[in-house]
Amino acid sequence: MIYLDNAATSFPKPEPVLRGMDAFVRSSAANPGRSGHRRAVEAEAMINETRLLLGRLLGFQRPERIVFTLNATDALNMAIKGVLRPGDHAITSVLEHNSISRPLNQLERDGAITLTRLPADSEHRIDPGDVIKAFKPSTRLVALTHVSNVTGTIQDIGTIGPAVRERGAFFLVDASQSAGAVPINIERDCVDLLAFTGHKALLGPTGTGGLAVGERVEVSPWREGGTGGDSSSPVQPSEFPHRLEGGTPNVFGLSGLREGVRLLLERSVDSVLTHERSLIAEFYRALPDPGRFRWYGADRVIAELQGDGRVGLVGINLPGFAPAELAAILDERFDVAVRAGLHCAPYAHKHLGTFPEGFVRFSVGILNTVEEMREAASALTEITD
Ligand SMILES: Cc1ncc(COP(=O)(O)O)c(C=O)c1O
């Protein structure tokens, strides 16, 4: 199989992740912090080490304020519902995944907040000037994706973050497609809340994710419960990470996430990004007639700039084929796994003009090879011939 659906989840997981998980789960997977015995202490130490490694990877100086969640959706809901208050205004964009759009839309529909949804330009970027212009006195949150899972473009969070901070609002970044795929520096870019998922470019298993909570922002807990220590407190303790981590964490999953992050720190995210861009460029080069496909603005960037400003994903359509049909042929006849449709981001497809059918997304990962890209290109060529 040629797996080109890494934007949905990375697969297969690298061997060190599988081995590290296996070893940990066999030896130490007790309930962290709940009991005083050695296995419980080891489990808690593993989770805290995962926080430390993530802090290094994400340029975040307060790793104890990285709280683990089920996935990015959980982290984004925690941030949005834990920060916004009745009467607040929030700014978002057309490039967002439903895990940002839906909670914000629901709050707007309930009359709790007002919302501005910014357009993207022809290069699929959010103009920092538009963010500034959208500010109102009641703006409390700017919630934007770092990398769209549809367009693959990297947003200029380094310009937007300081502008948001200067205006006294909070900046929430959805790093689902960028954590592990694009260098991130939370402190430098003035990000207040960064949501990530553990199972994509961070190379961990599903069921892992988290929210890095900057010091300026107060997030009300939406899940209260057991935290191990300080059981006498009648309400959720105020210290991090316990404040936002009620309930037994996903010890199995986090032991895999730790290995994924360790591997990325050893290899460097920059080198992974270079590798993934070169795979997409190879895919483009290996097609004898790329002009037969629609590329949604990505072809020039790939051909001329080797994918600069983008991550390793690209959406295409082949005139005469519905996206779902093309994806099914690739799967059934050529054993190439891709994702067709709207990718949980309907506004992004409206922006591209591909709503409601969407397109076929090819997304690469750390373990994909040049040979696989050539084979995927030759499968497409055979379909068009
Ligand atoms: C940009 C973006 N945000 C959020 C998510 C949600 O991630 P999860 O399903 O892990 O919660 C995804 C997943 O595809 C995504 O691509």
Side-chain angles (χ1 to χ4, degrees), residues 178-189:
S178 61
V182 176
I184 292 179
N185 193 317
I186 291 179
E187 305 288 353
R188 184 200 58 207
D189 291 347

mmCIF file with all atom_site columns, all heavy atoms in Angstrom, residues 178-189:
data_model
loop_
_atom_site.group_PDB
_atom_site.id
_atom_site.type_symbol
_atom_site.label_atom_id
_atom_site.label_alt_id
_atom_site.label_comp_id
_atom_site.label_asym_id
_atom_site.label_entity_id
_atom_site.label_seq_id
_atom_site.pdbx_PDB_ins_code
_atom_site.Cartn_x
_atom_site.Cartn_y
_atom_site.Cartn_z
_atom_site.occupancy
_atom_site.B_iso_or_equiv
_atom_site.pdbx_formal_charge
_atom_site.auth_seq_id
_atom_site.auth_comp_id
_atom_site.auth_asym_id
_atom_site.auth_atom_id
_atom_site.pdbx_PDB_model_num
ATOM 1  N N   . SER A 1 178 ? 0.357  21.489 11.781 1.00 0.00 ? 178 SER A N   1
ATOM 2  C CA  . SER A 1 178 ? 1.712  22.058 11.785 1.00 0.00 ? 178 SER A CA  1
ATOM 3  C C   . SER A 1 178 ? 2.616  21.482 12.875 1.00 0.00 ? 178 SER A C   1
ATOM 4  O O   . SER A 1 178 ? 3.829  21.413 12.675 1.00 0.00 ? 178 SER A O   1
ATOM 5  C CB  . SER A 1 178 ? 1.652  23.584 11.917 1.00 0.00 ? 178 SER A CB  1
ATOM 6  O OG  . SER A 1 178 ? 1.030  23.967 13.118 1.00 0.00 ? 178 SER A OG  1
ATOM 7  N N   . ALA A 1 179 ? 2.056  21.060 13.997 1.00 0.00 ? 179 ALA A N   1
ATOM 8  C CA  . ALA A 1 179 ? 2.922  20.548 15.071 1.00 0.00 ? 179 ALA A CA  1
ATOM 9  C C   . ALA A 1 179 ? 3.639  19.294 14.572 1.00 0.00 ? 179 ALA A C   1
ATOM 10 O O   . ALA A 1 179 ? 3.006  18.308 14.213 1.00 0.00 ? 179 ALA A O   1
ATOM 11 C CB  . ALA A 1 179 ? 2.095  20.240 16.315 1.00 0.00 ? 179 ALA A CB  1
ATOM 12 N N   . GLY A 1 180 ? 4.946  19.355 14.509 1.00 0.00 ? 180 GLY A N   1
ATOM 13 C CA  . GLY A 1 180 ? 5.741  18.239 13.994 1.00 0.00 ? 180 GLY A CA  1
ATOM 14 C C   . GLY A 1 180 ? 6.038  18.369 12.508 1.00 0.00 ? 180 GLY A C   1
ATOM 15 O O   . GLY A 1 180 ? 6.896  17.667 11.977 1.00 0.00 ? 180 GLY A O   1
ATOM 16 N N   . ALA A 1 181 ? 5.310  19.280 11.818 1.00 0.00 ? 181 ALA A N   1
ATOM 17 C CA  . ALA A 1 181 ? 5.495  19.425 10.368 1.00 0.00 ? 181 ALA A CA  1
ATOM 18 C C   . ALA A 1 181 ? 6.161  20.748 10.007 1.00 0.00 ? 181 ALA A C   1
ATOM 19 O O   . ALA A 1 181 ? 6.819  20.857 8.967  1.00 0.00 ? 181 ALA A O   1
ATOM 20 C CB  . ALA A 1 181 ? 4.156  19.329 9.652  1.00 0.00 ? 181 ALA A CB  1
ATOM 21 N N   . VAL A 1 182 ? 5.982  21.755 10.871 1.00 0.00 ? 182 VAL A N   1
ATOM 22 C CA  . VAL A 1 182 ? 6.500  23.104 10.618 1.00 0.00 ? 182 VAL A CA  1
ATOM 23 C C   . VAL A 1 182 ? 7.114  23.597 11.933 1.00 0.00 ? 182 VAL A C   1
ATOM 24 O O   . VAL A 1 182 ? 6.520  23.388 12.991 1.00 0.00 ? 182 VAL A O   1
ATOM 25 C CB  . VAL A 1 182 ? 5.321  24.052 10.229 1.00 0.00 ? 182 VAL A CB  1
ATOM 26 C CG1 . VAL A 1 182 ? 5.795  25.470 10.045 1.00 0.00 ? 182 VAL A CG1 1
ATOM 27 C CG2 . VAL A 1 182 ? 4.620  23.560 8.974  1.00 0.00 ? 182 VAL A CG2 1
ATOM 28 N N   . PRO A 1 183 ? 8.286  24.252 11.884 1.00 0.00 ? 183 PRO A N   1
ATOM 29 C CA  . PRO A 1 183 ? 8.844  24.765 13.147 1.00 0.00 ? 183 PRO A CA  1
ATOM 30 C C   . PRO A 1 183 ? 7.855  25.728 13.824 1.00 0.00 ? 183 PRO A C   1
ATOM 31 O O   . PRO A 1 183 ? 7.225  26.546 13.161 1.00 0.00 ? 183 PRO A O   1
ATOM 32 C CB  . PRO A 1 183 ? 10.114 25.493 12.703 1.00 0.00 ? 183 PRO A CB  1
ATOM 33 C CG  . PRO A 1 183 ? 10.489 24.862 11.402 1.00 0.00 ? 183 PRO A CG  1
ATOM 34 C CD  . PRO A 1 183 ? 9.184  24.486 10.741 1.00 0.00 ? 183 PRO A CD  1
ATOM 35 N N   . ILE A 1 184 ? 7.732  25.604 15.149 1.00 0.00 ? 184 ILE A N   1
ATOM 36 C CA  . ILE A 1 184 ? 6.781  26.434 15.903 1.00 0.00 ? 184 ILE A CA  1
ATOM 37 C C   . ILE A 1 184 ? 7.530  27.043 17.084 1.00 0.00 ? 184 ILE A C   1
ATOM 38 O O   . ILE A 1 184 ? 8.332  26.365 17.734 1.00 0.00 ? 184 ILE A O   1
ATOM 39 C CB  . ILE A 1 184 ? 5.606  25.577 16.433 1.00 0.00 ? 184 ILE A CB  1
ATOM 40 C CG1 . ILE A 1 184 ? 4.742  25.096 15.261 1.00 0.00 ? 184 ILE A CG1 1
ATOM 41 C CG2 . ILE A 1 184 ? 4.743  26.340 17.441 1.00 0.00 ? 184 ILE A CG2 1
ATOM 42 C CD1 . ILE A 1 184 ? 3.556  24.227 15.658 1.00 0.00 ? 184 ILE A CD1 1
ATOM 43 N N   . ASN A 1 185 ? 7.236  28.319 17.365 1.00 0.00 ? 185 ASN A N   1
ATOM 44 C CA  . ASN A 1 185 ? 7.787  28.940 18.563 1.00 0.00 ? 185 ASN A CA  1
ATOM 45 C C   . ASN A 1 185 ? 6.687  29.774 19.229 1.00 0.00 ? 185 ASN A C   1
ATOM 46 O O   . ASN A 1 185 ? 6.414  30.901 18.829 1.00 0.00 ? 185 ASN A O   1
ATOM 47 C CB  . ASN A 1 185 ? 9.006  29.799 18.213 1.00 0.00 ? 185 ASN A CB  1
ATOM 48 C CG  . ASN A 1 185 ? 9.759  30.191 19.463 1.00 0.00 ? 185 ASN A CG  1
ATOM 49 O OD1 . ASN A 1 185 ? 9.164  30.561 20.473 1.00 0.00 ? 185 ASN A OD1 1
ATOM 50 N ND2 . ASN A 1 185 ? 11.076 30.088 19.417 1.00 0.00 ? 185 ASN A ND2 1
ATOM 51 N N   . ILE A 1 186 ? 6.069  29.179 20.213 1.00 0.00 ? 186 ILE A N   1
ATOM 52 C CA  . ILE A 1 186 ? 4.919  29.791 20.881 1.00 0.00 ? 186 ILE A CA  1
ATOM 53 C C   . ILE A 1 186 ? 5.291  31.125 21.514 1.00 0.00 ? 186 ILE A C   1
ATOM 54 O O   . ILE A 1 186 ? 4.560  32.113 21.386 1.00 0.00 ? 186 ILE A O   1
ATOM 55 C CB  . ILE A 1 186 ? 4.372  28.816 21.958 1.00 0.00 ? 186 ILE A CB  1
ATOM 56 C CG1 . ILE A 1 186 ? 3.741  27.595 21.288 1.00 0.00 ? 186 ILE A CG1 1
ATOM 57 C CG2 . ILE A 1 186 ? 3.397  29.512 22.896 1.00 0.00 ? 186 ILE A CG2 1
ATOM 58 C CD1 . ILE A 1 186 ? 3.196  26.547 22.258 1.00 0.00 ? 186 ILE A CD1 1
ATOM 59 N N   . GLU A 1 187 ? 6.427  31.160 22.194 1.00 0.00 ? 187 GLU A N   1
ATOM 60 C CA  . GLU A 1 187 ? 6.806  32.381 22.928 1.00 0.00 ? 187 GLU A CA  1
ATOM 61 C C   . GLU A 1 187 ? 7.110  33.510 21.939 1.00 0.00 ? 187 GLU A C   1
ATOM 62 O O   . GLU A 1 187 ? 6.595  34.616 22.061 1.00 0.00 ? 187 GLU A O   1
ATOM 63 C CB  . GLU A 1 187 ? 8.035  32.126 23.809 1.00 0.00 ? 187 GLU A CB  1
ATOM 64 C CG  . GLU A 1 187 ? 7.894  30.961 24.773 1.00 0.00 ? 187 GLU A CG  1
ATOM 65 C CD  . GLU A 1 187 ? 6.949  31.225 25.938 1.00 0.00 ? 187 GLU A CD  1
ATOM 66 O OE1 . GLU A 1 187 ? 6.488  32.365 26.102 1.00 0.00 ? 187 GLU A OE1 1
ATOM 67 O OE2 . GLU A 1 187 ? 6.662  30.259 26.674 1.00 0.00 ? 187 GLU A OE2 1
ATOM 68 N N   . ARG A 1 188 ? 7.927  33.210 20.940 1.00 0.00 ? 188 ARG A N   1
ATOM 69 C CA  . ARG A 1 188 ? 8.329  34.254 19.977 1.00 0.00 ? 188 ARG A CA  1
ATOM 70 C C   . ARG A 1 188 ? 7.121  34.830 19.239 1.00 0.00 ? 188 ARG A C   1
ATOM 71 O O   . ARG A 1 188 ? 7.037  36.031 18.993 1.00 0.00 ? 188 ARG A O   1
ATOM 72 C CB  . ARG A 1 188 ? 9.326  33.637 18.978 1.00 0.00 ? 188 ARG A CB  1
ATOM 73 C CG  . ARG A 1 188 ? 9.911  34.628 17.977 1.00 0.00 ? 188 ARG A CG  1
ATOM 74 C CD  . ARG A 1 188 ? 10.465 33.937 16.757 1.00 0.00 ? 188 ARG A CD  1
ATOM 75 N NE  . ARG A 1 188 ? 9.448  33.140 16.079 1.00 0.00 ? 188 ARG A NE  1
ATOM 76 C CZ  . ARG A 1 188 ? 9.698  32.068 15.341 1.00 0.00 ? 188 ARG A CZ  1
ATOM 77 N NH1 . ARG A 1 188 ? 10.923 31.641 15.182 1.00 0.00 ? 188 ARG A NH1 1
ATOM 78 N NH2 . ARG A 1 188 ? 8.699  31.400 14.755 1.00 0.00 ? 188 ARG A NH2 1
ATOM 79 N N   . ASP A 1 189 ? 6.178  33.943 18.893 1.00 0.00 ? 189 ASP A N   1
ATOM 80 C CA  . ASP A 1 189 ? 5.050  34.380 18.058 1.00 0.00 ? 189 ASP A CA  1
ATOM 81 C C   . ASP A 1 189 ? 3.845  34.863 18.871 1.00 0.00 ? 189 ASP A C   1
ATOM 82 O O   . ASP A 1 189 ? 2.775  35.102 18.308 1.00 0.00 ? 189 ASP A O   1
ATOM 83 C CB  . ASP A 1 189 ? 4.631  33.248 17.102 1.00 0.00 ? 189 ASP A CB  1
ATOM 84 C CG  . ASP A 1 189 ? 5.693  32.993 16.041 1.00 0.00 ? 189 ASP A CG  1
ATOM 85 O OD1 . ASP A 1 189 ? 6.603  33.842 15.895 1.00 0.00 ? 189 ASP A OD1 1
ATOM 86 O OD2 . ASP A 1 189 ? 5.629  31.951 15.366 1.00 0.00 ? 189 ASP A OD2 1
#
